[in-house]
Each structure stands twice: as C-alpha cells, then as structure tokens.
C-alpha cells in the first residue's frame, strides 16, 4: 500500500490529513507487516479520520463497524435470515438445508473478510463494546479468518487493512493488543493544529488560524468535562469565516464558544478563566 513512511506522509497530506512521524511509521508498518493498527487516544484527535484518510489515499473501500454497548455477533459478524429460512421450511415438505450462503446475512467483519477489493476495515471505538466482542475479533485479527459453525472456516480472500480505535475509556485485553501494532495519538501541537486548520479551511487567514490553534490549546489546558476536538477546531474556523471575523478577539470568542464547548460547566469555566465575563 505504501512504499515508506515518507510515502504515507505525502499521500495522506494529499487527502488533507497531516500526519507526523509516529503516525506515518505506524501506518506504513501495519501495511508492511500485515498487522492491525490499534490507534488509542482522547476523543477527537483524528483516529477515525486516519482510517478514512488511509482508505482515500489508497483508493480502498472503507468498511466500518461502529462499536457500542450491547454489540453482538449478529451485528458485528453475521446472522441468519430467519424469516427467509422459515418461508423455505413452510414452502417445502422435503428436508432442506437452510444454513447455506443463500440465507447468510453479512455484517461488517464478515464482509471485510470476503471482499476481493482493497479494503480498510475500521473497528471504531472498540472500548465502547463489551469485553465479549473482543473474543469475536481474536481469530480475525490473528489469522484473518472467521469460523461459522454451519459453513466452516472462511479465510480472507484479500486481507483488509484493519484500524481499531479506542478512546481508552476502558482497558482492552492483552490478547487483543498482542495482535495489533499500537499507536497513541494525542492532541496536536498548536503549530500542527494550525496547519490542519489551514489544510481543511484554506480560505482562513494564516494569522487567524494561528490565534485559533493557540486559543484551543489554552482551552484544552483547563479542567474541562470535554476538551475541544480537532474537528471542532475546524468547525470554529469555518464559523469565523461565516461570520466574516478577521480576528479572534474576546467578543468573538465569547460569542462562538458553543462551537467547541458542548457542556455548560465547560462554557462557564472558560469564560471565567479567559476573563470573558
């Protein structure tokens, strides 16, 4: 997929994802070694966007499994079309095998294994799923295969590039981590966030992007319930453009804080700490 870490940096930049050395090296090694990449870090630092950018940069299809509490095998891997099976049983008096491909419903994990096209499999917010879901993934992440009791073992026709993300709200199992390369992504430096903003919102003046990035860094240094994400910084930049503001003065900050702070307690703290009252 990539010739070198430098190639990763260049190709991701072409799709407006500004990488750093650690990210580029991890992305390259995941492809070169055929290993899943586990990207962990605070919410909103660009973990999900990284998987999307890899897919876009390589021309691969993106298959996404969004994790949540209660996610099970039927939603993640496969399930049987019970209504169709029942109709088949009712329509024939002879014995009929109802556990065949005809009655199989693919979910994201099985779909990624069976596709013949270049694919990026994004398993998003792994830490939100129950621990049992990790057990479903172990065979897939180690051998790129899944076992369906009625059909046998299905091996990947073409290995997908796998990215797992986690906000670290709970510790993932050692068995899952062993199967992955690990990448920790933190909030970018103000300089890098300025460049990200300018890549996403090129119409924004460079000095305003600089003010914006440093203001967001100041906000993240406060004890907030939810620190601003990189995506929210970009939204703030677009907000300033929409309002026709050429400077991020106190009045502008006070009037647009709702773009980046989504909890009233955070808003009140920012107003107090930044002297906007």
């Amino acid at each position: 997929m990539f010739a070198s870490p430098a190639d990763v940096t260049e190709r991701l930049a072409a799709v407006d994802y500004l990488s750093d050395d650690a990210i580029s090296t991890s992305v390259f090694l995941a492809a070169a070694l055929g290993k899943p990449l586990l990207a962990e870090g605070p919410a909103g630092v660009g973990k999900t966007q990284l998987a999307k950018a890899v897919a876009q940069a390589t021309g691969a299809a993106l298959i996404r499994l969004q994790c949540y509490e209660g996610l099970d095998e039927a939603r993640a891997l496969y399930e049987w079309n019970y209504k169709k099976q029942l109709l088949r049983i009712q329509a024939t008096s002879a014995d009929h095998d109802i556990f065949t491909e005809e009655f199989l419903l693919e979910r994201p994990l099985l779909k990624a294994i069976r596709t013949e096209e270049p694919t990026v499999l994004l398993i998003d917010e792994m830490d939100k799923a129950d621990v049992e879901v990790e057990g479903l993934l172990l065979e897939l992440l180690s051998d790129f295969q899944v076992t369906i009791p009625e059909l046998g073992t299905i091996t990947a026709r073409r290995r997908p590039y796998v990215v797992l993300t986690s906000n670290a709200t709970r510790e993932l199992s050692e068995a899952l981590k062993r199967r992955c390369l690990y990448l920790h992504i933190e909030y970018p430096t103000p300089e890098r966030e300025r460049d990200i903003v300018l890549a996403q919102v090129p119409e924004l003046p460079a000095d305003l992007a600089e003010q914006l990035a440093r203001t967001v860094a100041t906000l993240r240094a406060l004890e907030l319930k939810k620190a601003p994400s990189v995506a929210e910084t970009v939204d703030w930049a677009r907000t300033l453009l929409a309002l026709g503001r050429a400077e991020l003065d106190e009045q502008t900050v006070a009037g647009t804080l709702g773009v980046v702070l989504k909890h009233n307690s955070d808003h009140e703290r920012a107003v107090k700490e930044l002297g906007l009252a």
Side-chain angles (χ1 to χ4, degrees), residues 5-84:
D7 183 42
V8 174
T9 300
E10 182 178 345
R11 291 170 67 181
L12 292 185
V15 294
D16 295 333
Y17 189 97
L18 299 188
S19 182
D20 59 22
D21 290 343
I23 292 174
S24 294
T25 300
S26 296
V27 168
F28 169 72
L29 289 176
L33 302 178
K35 300 269 289 184
L37 177 62
L38 170 59
E40 191 171 67
V45 295
K47 303 182 298 295
T48 299
Q49 190 58 40
L50 174 60
K52 293 179 178 179
V54 169
Q56 190 177 353
T58 59
L62 179 70
I63 296 178
R64 180 175 181 173
L65 173 64
Q66 180 64 52
C67 297
Y68 54 88
E69 186 177 352
L71 178 69
D72 59 12
E73 184 178 55
R75 297 299 176 192
L77 189 54
Y78 74 94
E79 65 178 326
W80 295 104
N81 189 332
Y82 298 115
K83 291 183 179 179
K84 189 173 181 180

Side-chain angles (χ1 to χ4, degrees), residues 2 6 11 18 33 47 67 73-74 81 99 117 129 141-142 163 188 218 231 250 258 262:
F2 300 102
R11 291 170 67 181
L18 299 188
L33 302 178
K47 303 182 298 295
C67 297
E73 184 178 55
N81 189 332
F99 292 99
E117 302 299 321
L141 296 181
S142 60
V163 178
T218 300
E250 290 185 2
K262 308 300 171 64

Side-chain angles (χ1 to χ4, degrees), residues 88-96:
R88 179 60 58 87
I89 292 172
Q90 293 173 340
T92 178
S93 57
D95 290 340
H96 188 86

Side-chain angles (χ1 to χ4, degrees), residues 1 13 34 93 95 104 119 151 160 163 181 195 216 222 236 268:
M1 295 178 71
S93 57
D95 290 340
L104 187 66
T119 302
L151 298 178
V163 178
L181 298 182
D195 293 341
V216 170
L222 304 178
W236 207 1
E268 291 177 348

Side-chain angles (χ1 to χ4, degrees), residues 229-254:
S229 69
V230 176
E232 286 166 334
T233 304
V234 173
D235 286 342
W236 207 1
R238 292 184 175 126
T239 297
L240 298 180
L241 274 183
L243 294 173
R245 303 295 171 87
E247 184 181 359
L248 194 62
D249 54 24
E250 290 185 2
Q251 182 180 1
T252 300
V253 172

Side-chain angles (χ1 to χ4, degrees), residues 4 8 14 16 41 51 59 70 115 143 175 205 238 240 257 261:
S4 64
V8 174
D16 295 333
T115 185
D143 301 320
R238 292 184 175 126
L240 298 180
L257 267 180
L261 300 182

